[in-house]
């Protein structure tokens, strides 16, 4: 049974001075709990002591530009039989009425605020000075994972953490946040995160440096990880699956008919979230049932560079004003099948549709990408020319994240996307080389999110060929399938062993 320690955070902001171009606030924020020191024995073995000191995080004179700070400690004391403790620290927001400045409240006379400014943010740090997490609190609700920690000790060891909440000065009117309230709690919960639980099931951890050949061997009991920092994603070290594992199955959600949905784990992202690709309503690995649509164009036209975009705008390499045809299809499917599961989905991890352009097919130069200019996008150079995939997204504006995310373009209304061509390469697929013996093979054609090139008035995007290899084709081609990709939060409890008979599941 999970045990947790709660610290209340109660904040009330009051305006004490108002001007047309600037609003002056004071704030009282308090953290409180049942006791300043709490001892827990996870599994009735290793002892963990939580110490919040005087239980207070308060200021009666917080003004824009100031930060509220609270430091607390967790001490892990080993026994003769147990020396490892796993715990997660959350910020659970139960009431948050802060709003961003947008078209709904902007007024050049009464509230000349700065649109979309992140006025209230948090930063969570360890005593080493390292930032474990940070983000915008405007519009946020529910649980936010601050850190997932696993500590192995040979003697009693104390770890210190600091929570900082900053009310930012915008040098403009902030009346839209008059009398707003932030209520919630800091929770320390003992037990494995989804990331740690999944990793505990694999005895063999391998790395890869050569991506010029396919991976076809059965890799049950095996997970791969970044060989070095060049294989990290934007958040850190990545664990991923390659070849033909039989134990990366995940059952999550039900469709509109009540049937359970099955997925394959693609990777554990650097932030601990879990990336899944759709497999259908059964564990059959091939055929049309592994996709939500079998005849879908990527976009409405192919005569301009803009149409390689998951979202696009004519004349803008990284434009985001118009949805592609395939994005519209995914959004419709999400709303019909997964919207009730939103609390488990991570909108911050994102999906990369890398549109960094080049007029050269052998190296990136940052030119091209608009109109009818012949252009080779980054994935072309990485996967066709160099055979060197990457989990990083070259341009943050091409990392599709949801509104309220702390990174990426924040352009998605729903936390759903497609696999990248680079992820297919990490899994064991190679451009032009058939592979029917890896877990992404389904004996069908389906789109990725990665632009390939624009040449001779044809915009092309990578897809997975029915033979299992990477290829590319005209975005207007309507004979390819759609396999949704989602990211599950790390701060969820799961069970199972990843097999078809016992897939991982959310508790």
């Amino acid at each position: 049974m999970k045990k947790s320690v709660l610290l209340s955070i109660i904040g009330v902001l009051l305006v004490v001075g108002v001007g047309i171009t600037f609003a002056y606030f004071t704030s009282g924020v308090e953290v409180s709990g049942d006791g300043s020191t709490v001892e827990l024995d996870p599994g009735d073995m290793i002892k963990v002591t939580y110490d919040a000191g005087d239980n207070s995080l308060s200021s009666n004179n917080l003004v824009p530009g100031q930060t509220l700070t609270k430091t607390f400690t967790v001490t892990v004391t080993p026994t003769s039989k147990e020396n490892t403790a796993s715990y997660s620290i959350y910020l659970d927001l139960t009431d948050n009425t802060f709003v961003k400045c947008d078209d709904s409240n902007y007024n050049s006379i009464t509230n000349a605020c700065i649109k979309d400014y992140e006025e209230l943010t948090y930063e969570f740090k360890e005593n080493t000075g390292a930032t474990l997490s940070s983000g915008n609190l405007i519009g946020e609700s529910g649980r936010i994972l601050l850190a997932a920690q696993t500590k192995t000790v040979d003697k009693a060891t104390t770890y210190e953490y600091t929570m900082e909440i900053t009310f930012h000065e915008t040098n403009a009117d902030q009346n839209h946040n008059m009398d707003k309230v932030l209520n919630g709690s800091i929770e320390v919960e003992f037990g494995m995160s989804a990331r740690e639980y999944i990793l505990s099931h694999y005895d063999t951890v391998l790395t890869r440096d050569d991506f010029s050949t396919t991976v076809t061997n059965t890799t049950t009991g095996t997970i791969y990880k970044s060989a070095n920092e060049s294989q990290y994603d934007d958040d850190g070290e990545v664990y991923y699956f390659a070849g033909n594992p039989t134990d990366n199955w995940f059952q999550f959600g039900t469709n509109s008919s009540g049937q359970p949905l099955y997925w394959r784990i693609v990777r554990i992202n650097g932030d601990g979230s879990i990336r899944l690709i759709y497999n259908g309503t059964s564990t059959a690995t091939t055929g049309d049932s592994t996709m939500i649509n079998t005849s879908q164009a990527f976009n409405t036209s192919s005569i301009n560079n803009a149409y390689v975009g998951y979202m696009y705008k004519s004349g803008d390499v990284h434009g985001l004003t118009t949805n592609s045809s395939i994005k519209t299809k995914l959004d419709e499917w999400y709303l019909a099948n997964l919207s009730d599961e939103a609390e488990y989905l991570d909108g911050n991890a994102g999906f990369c549709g890398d549109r960094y352009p080049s007029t050269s097919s052998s190296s990136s130069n940052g030119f091209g990408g608009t109109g009818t200019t012949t252009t080779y996008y980054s994935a072309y150079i990485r996967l066709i020319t160099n055979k060197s995939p990457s989990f990083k997204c070259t341009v943050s504006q091409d990392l599709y994240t949801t509104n309220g995310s702390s990174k990426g373009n924040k352009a998605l209304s729903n936390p759903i996307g497609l696999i990248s061509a680079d992820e297919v390469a990490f899994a064991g697929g190679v451009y032009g080389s058939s592979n029917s013996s890896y877990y992404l093979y389904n004996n069908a054609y389906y789109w990725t999110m990665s632009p390939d090139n624009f040449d001779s008035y044809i915009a092309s995007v990578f897809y997975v060929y029915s033979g299992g290899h990477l290829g590319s084709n005209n975005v207007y081609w309507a004979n390819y399938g759609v396999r949704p990709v989602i990211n599950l939060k790390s701060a969820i409890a799961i069970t199972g062993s990843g097999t078809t008979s016992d897939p991982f599941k959310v508790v």
Side-chain angles (χ1 to χ4, degrees):
M1 177 178 177
K2 291 186 176 179
K3 305 176 182 180
S4 62
V5 180
L6 305 183
L7 288 162
S8 299
I9 298 180
I10 303 171
V12 180
L13 300 189
L14 304 173
V15 177
V16 297
V18 178
I20 290 176
T21 60
F22 180 72
Y24 183 77
F25 296 82
T26 63
S27 173
V29 178
E30 182 179 25
V31 175
S32 61
D34 294 332
S36 61
T37 301
V38 180
E39 293 186 2
L40 299 177
D41 293 294
D44 297 321
M45 296 177 69
I46 189 168
K47 185 173 78 170
V48 181
T49 303
Y50 171 88
D51 190 351
D54 61 5
N55 284 332
S56 65
L57 171 60
S58 62
S59 172
N60 295 318
N61 191 30
L62 182 66
V63 297
Q66 289 187 332
T67 298
L68 292 175
T69 301
K70 175 63 182 178
T71 297
F72 61 90
T73 62
V74 175
T75 300
V76 180
T77 304
T79 68
S80 60
K81 296 181 179 180
E82 184 68 46
N83 68 344
T84 298
S86 293
Y87 55 93
S88 297
I89 305 170
Y90 304 92
L91 173 61
D92 188 6
L93 296 176
T94 56
D95 188 14
N96 182 8
T97 60
F98 281 89
V99 296
K100 67 181 178 180
C101 172
D102 56 22
D103 290 337
S104 68
N105 52 37
Y106 180 84
N107 187 298
S108 60
I109 296 177
T110 61
N111 190 28
C113 49
I114 300 178
K115 292 182 179 180
D116 297 321
Y117 197 99
E118 296 181 354
E119 295 178 48
L120 193 69
T121 64
Y122 76 90
E123 185 171 14
F124 189 67
K125 303 176 182 178
E126 197 169 8
N127 59 348
T128 59
T131 297
L132 300 178
S133 62
S134 61
N136 176 30
L137 290 175
I138 301 294
E140 289 295 312
S141 61
R143 290 182 114 198
I144 299 171
L145 177 67
L146 301 177
Q149 303 279 271
T150 297
K151 303 295 187 182
T152 301
V153 299
D154 55 12
K155 61 181 179 180
T157 305
T158 298
Y159 301 94
E160 185 177 274
Y161 301 95
T162 299
M163 181 66 171
E164 296 179 350
I165 298 177
T166 299
F167 182 36
H168 294 274
E169 181 177 352
T170 67
N171 291 319
D173 203 319
Q174 293 175 261
N175 283 341
H176 52 285
N177 275 324
M178 182 188 301
D179 298 328
K180 300 302 183 183
V181 175
L182 179 74
N183 293 320
S185 60
I186 292 175
E187 303 179 4
V188 181
E189 185 172 277
F190 296 86
M192 285 187 178
S193 66
R195 174 185 184 274
E196 296 302 326
Y197 182 86
I198 291 171
L199 290 179
S200 70
H201 285 73
Y202 302 97
D203 296 327
T204 303
V205 180
L206 302 177
T207 59
R208 295 179 63 205
D209 292 312
D210 181 5
F211 295 91
S212 63
T213 58
T214 60
V215 181
T216 61
N217 53 306
T218 298
T219 51
T220 300
T222 298
I223 195 167
Y224 291 76
K225 72 171 183 177
S226 305
N228 47 57
E229 289 190 11
S230 68
Q231 293 182 9
Y232 285 13
D233 68 10
D234 298 303
D235 294 300
E237 186 177 54
V238 175
Y239 287 84
Y240 63 95
F241 288 93
N244 190 27
T246 61
D247 52 2
N248 68 333
W249 288 93
F250 210 113
Q251 182 184 327
F252 175 74
T254 56
N255 65 11
S256 55
S257 300
Q259 297 171 296
L261 303 179
Y262 291 89
W263 310 74
R264 306 299 291 270
I265 303 175
V266 176
R267 61 177 168 121
I268 301 175
N269 302 314
D271 64 358
S273 57
I274 315 301
R275 194 183 303 270
L276 310 178
I277 186 169
Y278 182 76
N279 188 82
T281 57
S282 75
T283 55
T285 58
T286 59
D288 293 349
S289 67
T290 61
M291 304 177 289
I292 65 170
N293 192 5
T294 59
S295 301
Q296 175 67 49
F298 190 91
N299 227 326
T300 56
S301 177
S302 65
I303 61 172
N304 188 295
N305 266 284
Y307 296 113
V308 302
Y310 188 63
M311 298 176 72
Y312 62 92
K313 178 183 179 181
S314 183
D316 184 343
V317 178
H318 308 287
L320 299 168
T321 58
T322 305
N323 289 339
S324 63
S325 301
I326 202 166
K327 180 182 182 298
T328 298
K329 177 65 179 179
L330 283 164
D331 283 340
E332 291 172 349
W333 184 85
Y334 172 87
L335 293 174
N337 297 279
L338 281 184
S339 57
D340 289 343
E341 311 293 342
E343 64 181 300
Y344 302 109
L345 299 176
D346 191 323
N348 198 51
F351 312 90
C352 185
D354 190 352
R355 289 177 288 182
Y356 189 77
S358 178
T359 52
S360 168
S361 63
S362 59
S363 61
S364 294
N365 56 33
F367 298 104
T370 57
T372 58
T373 303
T374 298
T375 302
Y376 302 89
Y377 293 93
S378 285
Y380 181 104
I381 297 168
R382 287 194 300 267
L383 304 179
I384 297 177
T385 303
N386 297 332
K387 298 292 192 296
S388 180
S390 174
F391 286 123
K392 287 185 171 67
C393 207
T394 309
V395 180
S396 63
Q397 198 168 347
D398 291 335
L399 180 65
Y400 292 86
T401 56
T402 57
N403 184 28
S405 171
S406 62
K407 63 182 180 180
N409 57 32
K410 308 176 186 180
L412 297 183
S413 53
N414 303 303
I416 192 168
L418 295 170
I419 197 168
S420 71
D422 293 84
E423 288 171 330
V424 175
F426 275 106
V430 175
Y431 186 87
S433 298
S434 296
N435 184 0
S436 61
S437 299
Y438 76 130
Y439 76 95
L440 291 178
Y441 168 80
N442 69 346
N443 195 29
Y445 300 82
Y446 59 93
W447 291 107
T448 78
M449 190 183 272
S450 302
D452 176 33
N453 68 80
F454 180 88
D455 192 14
S456 301
Y457 291 90
I458 296 176
S460 296
V461 168
F462 282 97
Y463 68 95
V464 177
Y465 191 77
S466 61
H469 64 261
L470 280 168
S472 69
N473 207 348
N474 188 329
V475 295
Y476 194 56
W477 191 253
N479 291 331
Y480 295 163
V482 183
R483 299 185 73 179
V485 172
I486 57 175
N487 295 291
L488 295 180
K489 295 177 179 177
S490 180
I492 56 174
I494 63 175
T495 62
S497 58
T499 64
T500 54
S501 60
D502 185 32
F504 294 117
K505 297 179 183 179
V506 175
V507 177

